[in-house]
C-alpha cells in the first residue's frame, strides 16, 4: 500500500507540476499571480475535447491543438486584461485582481454558453495497467508524466539556450533595463504568455483525459498555485518540485490520516510556508514595500 | 362625472374578473433543477408534469378548476431551493412538488411546514425528508412517492451478498451529500447483518476529482464489491480510477447512477456495474406513460424523475378531491390517508407513520456499455 | 411586494459585509480574497447558538461577531506580523478561508457539508436596516478617529506612516478585526434570514462578490461600495438575470475597473459630496 500510495502521489503531483509551471513562468516575468491560468487550463481541456470528439482527431493532434489554443487564449488574455496595466506600471495587486476577474468571467462564460454538463474524452488508451512490485500504475499516467516532463524540459532548454530564451531570462531579472537595451517587452511578455498558455492547454487536456471536463475543473488549479508557492514562485524547477511534493504529501495524508481533512493540511502548509519562507524552496527573494 | 364613475366601475369590474380568474385555477408549485448537474432529469420531470396536468385539465381539472404549474429552477442548490420555496409560498400555491434531491428537500421542508403547504418530493430518498431528524417525529407536510434509502441500501446489500456472492465489500462516498453519507451507512448495516464484511468505508469531498488515494487503500483489502452511492459523474470517475489501479471488484451503485450519460462518462470502466433504481423503462406498469411522453416530446423520459413526479401529481389531485378544498392542512391530512391509489408507477398507499409509500418495489439494472444501455436484471419487492 | 422586501433585506445584509471590507481594503489598503470566511464564522456561531441552545437572537449575533473577530486574529497576527507582500497576504487569507470551510464541512455540530436547515428566521428588514445604520455610524466615527486616520496613512504610504510613529502591525490588525466583525454580523443576519446555511455559501465566489463591490464602488469611500453593492444585488434581480450571467458581469467589472478606473466609481469621494460640488469633478 505504501508503494501504491507513492505512485499515486507522484502521478497526482505530476499534474500539479504541469499546471504550476504556467503560474511560475508568468510570475517570474510579471511578478504577479495570474489566477486566470486556471481558466486557460479549463478552456484548454474544452478545446482538446472538441477536437477529440467533434473531429475525432488522434491524441497527438488533440494535444497540439489544445496547446496552440491555450497559448493563443493566454496571449489574448494578456493583451486585453493586463497590457494596459503593465504600461501604466500599476501595482502587481491590480494585475492580480484583473486576473481574478478574468478567471471568474471565463469560468462563468463557459457555464452560460456550454453549460455545466460533464464530458469525457474518448478512450485513447485501453485501460492497461503496469504492475510493479504489486502496485499498479496506468499506462496513461506514465505517458502523461513522460510527456509533461518532456514539455517542461523543452521549455527549460529553450529558456537556457535560445536567443529569445535569454531575452526572457533578462526580462525576468529587470524588465525596465531589458526594454532600455532595445528588447520589445510587449513581444517578450506575449511570448511568455504563449508558452504558459500552451503548457496550460497541455495540462487541461491531460486533466480532461484523466478526469472529466466541466466548468469548475479550474478549481483544482488552486492546488497548482500552492505547489508553485511551495517551490518558490518564479522558479520552474521549484514549480515541478513543489507540485510533486504537494501531490505526494496530499496522497499520503489521504491514505494514512484523513481523506476529507486533506485540504486543511494543504492550506495550512500554504499559510505556514508564506509566513516562514515567503520565497518558497527555490524562489528568489522579492521585496515589495508593504 | 359620469365618465369618471364609468371608469371607476370598469376598473372594479376588471379587478373582479382578475380576481375571479385567479380563483378559477389551482396553483401547484414545482421546485426543480432546470440548470446545473441535475437539469437533465429536471427538464424531463417538468415535461412529464406539464403533460399530465394537461390531461387532468382536459378531464375537467380538480374541484372544477384548472391546475396551473408554477415551476422555478432551484439549480440543485439548497440555498436557492429555500428561496424558491419562499417564492412559491408568496405565489400562493396550494402544494409543492419536488425537489428531487434529499439535501434540497431537507432544506426546503421547514419553510413549507411553517407556511402549512404540503410538499411531495419526487426522488428524494433520504429518511429525514419526511422525518424531523432532531425530534424523530414525522413532518406533517412532507410526503413522497419513492422508496427510501434504508430500503435501497438493503436491496443493494442483498443483491451483492446473495446474487453476486460477495463476502467483502468496500464503500466510497461523498461526505458532502446527505444521500451518499446515509446510503453508505444503510448498506454497511444491511451487508453486515447478512454476514458480509465491509472492509473499507472511504469518503471524499464534493469537488474532488482524484479518489486514487482512497482507492489505493481499498485495493489493498481486495473487496469483491465496490459500492458507490454517488452521482453518475463521480461514479464514472471512481470507476475509471479504480480500474486504472487494477481493482477488479464488481461495481455497485444506487438510483443516482441512472443517467444516460453514465456510460459516456465512465466508458469501458463502468461496464458490468449494477445499480438499484426506482423504475425501469421496460417496467410494464409505466408503458402507457412512456408512450404518451414519447408522443409528446419525441424522446424517452429520463427516468426515474418523470415517473415519480407523475405519481406525485396524481397523489395530490386525489388528495385535493378527497379533502374537497385547497387548504394546506386539509390536503396534508388527505395525503396521509392515500390508499391503493392508481398512479403512473402502479398503486400507492401512504404510511401515515412516516409518510413514505408502502410496498414500493426496486429494480436492479446492469450497465452494458456495448449496447449503450441499462439492462433490467431483477425486481425486488419489499419483504423479499 | 414581499419579493422586493426580501431583495432589499438581502442587499442590506450584503452591504454590511461590503462596508467591513471597505474599511479593510478601501481605507487600509490590503486586499482579501477570504472575507466570506468571516461571514461563515458569524453565520455558523450565531445559528448554532439559536438552533441548538436557544440563545436569544441579539446575544447569538453578538457571539458570532466576536467569534469572527477573534478568528481574524488567528490568521491576521502571523501574516500581518510577517509583512507579507500584499498579494501573498490576499492568498494567505484565501487559504485560511478554504481551510476553514473544510473544517466546517467536517464538524458534526455544523451538520457538515450538507448544511444546517431550519434556523429560526429572526432577521427582518427593520432589524437589518437598524444594524446597517449602526454599522455606517460606527464606520464613519472610526474613520474620523485617530485610528481611522492611521489606517488611511498606512494605505497611502506605509513607510512614511511608520516613520511618523504609526504602528503598522497594530493598525492593520485593528482594521482587519473590525472588518471581520462586520462580516460576522452580516453572516449572522444572513443565516437567520435564509434559515439555511452550508459551508459552500462562504467560498471564494462570495469573497469575490464582496471585493468586486468594494473595488467598483471606490477604494476610500463608504457610500460608493454601498451603492455598488446595492446595484450588484438589485439590478440582476430586477432584470431577472440568472446567477451565472451575474458572475460573468462581476468578472468583467473587476477587469474593466482595473483597466480604466482603478479608483472605482466614486474614487475617494462620498455621495454626499457629489451633491455639494459639481458632479464629475475628480478628487
Amino acid at each position: 500500500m505504501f508503494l501504491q500510495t507513492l505512485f499515486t502521489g507522484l502521478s497526482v503531483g505530476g499534474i500539479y507540476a504541469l499546471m504550476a509551471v504556467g503560474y511560475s513562468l508568468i510570475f517570474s516575468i510579471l511578478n504577479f499571480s495570474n489566477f486566470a491560468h486556471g481558466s486557460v487550463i479549463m478552456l484548454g481541456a474544452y478545446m482538446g475535447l472538441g477536437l477529440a470528439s467533434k473531429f475525432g482527431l488522434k491524441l497527438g493532434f488533440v494535444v497540439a491543438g489544445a496547446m496552440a489554443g491555450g497559448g493563443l487564449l493566454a496571449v489574448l488574455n494578456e493583451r486585453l486584461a493586463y497590457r494596459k496595466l503593465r504600461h501604466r506600471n500599476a501595482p502587481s495587486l491590480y494585475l492580480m485582481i484583473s486576473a481574478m476577474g478574468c478567471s471568474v468571467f471565463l469560468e462563468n462564460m463557459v457555464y452560460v454558453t456550454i453549460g455545466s454538463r460533464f464530458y469525457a474524452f474518448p478512450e485513447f488508451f485501453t485501460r492497461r495497467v503496469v504492475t510493479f512490485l504489486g502496485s499498479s500504475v496506468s499506462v496513461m499516467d506514465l505517458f502523461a508524466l513522460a510527456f509533461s516532463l518532456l514539455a517542461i524540459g523543452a521549455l527549460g532548454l529553450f529558456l537556457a539556450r535560445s536567443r529569445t530564451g535569454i531575452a526572457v531570462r533578462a526580462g525576468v531579472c529587470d524588465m525596465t533595463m531589458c526594454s532600455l537595451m532595445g528588447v520589445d517587452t510587449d513581444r517578450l511578455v506575449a511570448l511568455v504568455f504563449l508558452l504558459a498558455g500552451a503548457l496550460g492547454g497541455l495540462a487541461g487536456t491531460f486533466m480532461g483525459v484523466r478526469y472529466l471536463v466541466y466548468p469548475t475543473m479550474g478549481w483544482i488549479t488552486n492546488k497548482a498555485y500552492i505547489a508553485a508557492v511551495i517551490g518558490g514562485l518564479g522558479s520552474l524547477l521549484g514549480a515541478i518540485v513543489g507540485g510533486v511534493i504537494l501531490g505526494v504529501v496530499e496522497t499520503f495524508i489521504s491514505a494514512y490520516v484523513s481523506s476529507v481533512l486533506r485540504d486543511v493540511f494543504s492550506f495550512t502548509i500554504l499559510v505556514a510556508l508564506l509566513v516562514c519562507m515567503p520565497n518558497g524552496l527555490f524562489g528568489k527573494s522579492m521585496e515589495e514595500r508593504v | 362625472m359620469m365618465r369618471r364613475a364609468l371608469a371607476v366601475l370598469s376598473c372594479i369590474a376588471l379587478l373582479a374578473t382578475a380576481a375571479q380568474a385567479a380563483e378559477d385555477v389551482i396553483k401547484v408549485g414545482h421546485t426543480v433543477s432546470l440548470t446545473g448537474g441535475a437539469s437533465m432529469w429536471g427538464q424531463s420531470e417538468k415535461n412529464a408534469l406539464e403533460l399530465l396536468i394537461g390531461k387532468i385539465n382536459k378531464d375537467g381539472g380538480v374541484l372544477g378548476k384548472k391546475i396551473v404549474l408554477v415551476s422555478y429552477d432551484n439549480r440543485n442548490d439548497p440555498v436557492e431551493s429555500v428561496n424558491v420555496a419562499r417564492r412559491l409560498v408568496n405565489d400562493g400555491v396550494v402544494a409543492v412538488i419536488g425537489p428531487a434531491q434529499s439535501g434540497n428537500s431537507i432544506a426546503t421542508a421547514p419553510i413549507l411546514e411553517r407556511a402549512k403547504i404540503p410538499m411531495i418530493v419526487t426522488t428524494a430518498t433520504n429518511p429525514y425528508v419526511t422525518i424531523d431528524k432532531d425530534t424523530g417525529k414525522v413532518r406533517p407536510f412532507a410526503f413522497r412517492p419513492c422508496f427510501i434509502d434504508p430500503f435501497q441500501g438493503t436491496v443493494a446489500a442483498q443483491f451483492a451478498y446473495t446474487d453476486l456472492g460477495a463476502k467483502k465489500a468496500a464503500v466510497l462516498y461523498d461526505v458532502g451529500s446527505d444521500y451518499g453519507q446515509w446510503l453508505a451507512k444503510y448498506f454497511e448495516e444491511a451487508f453486515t447483518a447478512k454476514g458480509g464484511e465491509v472492509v473499507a468505508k472511504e469518503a471524499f469531498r464534493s469537488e474532488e476529482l482524484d479518489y486514487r488515494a482512497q482507492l489505493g487503500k481499498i485495493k489493498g483489502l481486495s473487496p469483491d464489491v465496490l459500492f458507490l452511492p454517488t452521482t453518475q459523474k463521480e461514479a464514472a470517475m471512481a470507476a475509471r480510477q479504480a480500474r486504472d489501479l487494477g481493482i477488479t471488484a464488481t461495481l455497485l451503485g444506487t438510483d443516482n447512477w441512472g443517467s444516460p450519460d453514465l456510460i459516456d462518462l465512465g466508458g469501458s470502466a463502468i461496464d458490468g456495474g449494477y445499480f438499484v433504481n426506482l423504475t425501469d423503462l421496460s417496467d410494464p406498469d409505466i408503458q402507457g406513460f412512456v408512450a404518451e411522453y414519447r408522443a409528446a416530446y419525441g424522446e424517452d423520459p429520463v427516468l426515474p424523475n418523470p415517473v415519480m413526479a407523475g405519481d406525485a401529481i396524481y397523489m395530490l389531485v386525489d388528495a385535493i378531491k378527497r379533502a374537497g378544498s385547497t387548504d394546506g392542512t386539509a390536503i396534508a391530512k388527505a395525503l396521509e390517508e392515500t390508499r391503493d391509489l392508481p398512479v403512473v408507477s402502479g398503486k400507492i398507499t401512504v404510511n401515515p407513520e412516516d409518510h413514505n409509500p408502502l410496498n414500493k418495489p426496486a429494480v436492479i439494472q446492469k450497465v452494458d456499455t456495448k449496447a449503450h444501455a441499462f439492462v433490467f436484471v431483477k425486481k425486488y419487492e419489499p419483504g423479499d | 411586494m414581499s419579493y422586493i422586501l426580501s431583495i432589499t433585506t438581502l442587499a442590506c445584509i450584503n452591504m454590511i459585509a461590503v462596508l467591513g471590507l471597505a474599511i479593510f481594503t478601501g481605507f487600509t489598503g490590503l486586499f482579501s480574497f477570504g472575507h466570506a470566511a468571516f461571514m461563515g464564522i458569524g453565520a455558523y456561531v450565531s445559528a448554532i447558538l439559536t438552533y441548538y441552545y436557544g440563545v436569544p437572537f441579539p446575544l447569538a449575533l453578538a457571539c458570532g461577531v466576536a467569534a469572527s473577530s477573534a478568528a481574524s486574529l488567528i490568521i491576521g497576527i502571523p501574516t500581518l506580523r510577517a509583512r507579507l507582500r500584499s498579494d501573498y497576504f490576499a492568498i494567505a487569507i484565501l487559504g485560511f478561508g478554504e481551510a476553514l470551510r473544510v473544517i466546517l464541512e467536517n464538524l458534526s455540530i455544523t451538520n457538515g457539508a450538507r448544511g444546517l436547515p431550519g434556523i429560526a428566521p429572526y432577521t427582518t428588514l427593520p432589524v437589518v436596516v437598524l444594524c446597517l445604520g449602526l454599522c455606517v455610524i460606527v464606520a464613519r466615527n472610526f474613520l474620523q478617529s485617530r485610528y481611522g486616520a492611521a489606517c488611511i496613512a498606512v494605505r497611502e504610504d506605509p513607510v512614511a506612516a511608520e516613520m511618523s510613529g504609526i504602528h503598522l502591525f497594530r493598525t492593520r490588525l485593528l482594521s482587519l478585526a473590525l472588518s471581520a466583525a462586520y462580516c460576522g454580523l452580516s453572516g449572522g443576519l444572513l443565516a437567520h434570514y435564509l434559515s439555511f446555511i452550508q459551508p459552500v455559501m462562504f467560498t471564494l465566489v462570495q469573497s469575490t462578490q464582496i471585493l468586486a463591490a468594494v473595488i467598483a464602488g471606490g477604494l476610500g469611500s463608504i457610500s460608493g461600495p454601498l451603492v455598488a453593492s446595492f446595484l450588484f444585488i438589485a439590478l440582476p434581480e430586477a432584470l431577472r438575470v440568472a446567477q451565472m450571467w451575474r458572475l460573468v458581469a462581476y468578472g468583467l467589472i473587476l477587469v474593466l475597473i482595473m483597466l480604466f478606473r482603478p479608483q472605482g466609481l466614486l474614487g475617494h469621494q462620498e455621495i454626499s459630496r457629489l451633491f455639494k460640488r459639481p458632479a464629475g469633478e475628480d478628487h
Side-chain angles (χ1 to χ4, degrees), chain B residues 78 86-87 90 134 178 205, chain C residues 2 51 105 114 193 240:
Chain B
R86 271 174 218 248
R87 222 145 118 195
N90 265 335
D134 293 317
D178 272 310
R205 292 179 59 219
Chain C
S2 62
Y51 186 75
E105 281 177 3
R114 291 160 290 145
Y193 178 68
R240 294 264 177 172

Side-chain angles (χ1 to χ4, degrees), chain A residues 18-41:
Chain A
L18 194 58
M19 292 191 286
V21 169
Y23 275 116
S24 263
L25 199 59
I26 289 171
F27 192 94
S28 69
I29 195 149
L30 289 183
N31 211 358
F32 84 102
S33 312
N34 179 25
F35 277 120
H37 190 62
S39 307
V40 172
I41 293 174

Side-chain angles (χ1 to χ4, degrees), chain B residues 70-71 97 161 182 226 261 298 309 322 360 372:
Chain B
V70 185
S71 284
I97 293 178
Y161 191 82
W182 291 101
L226 176 56
D261 65 352
R322 277 186 293 113
K360 198 82 184 177
H372 208 278

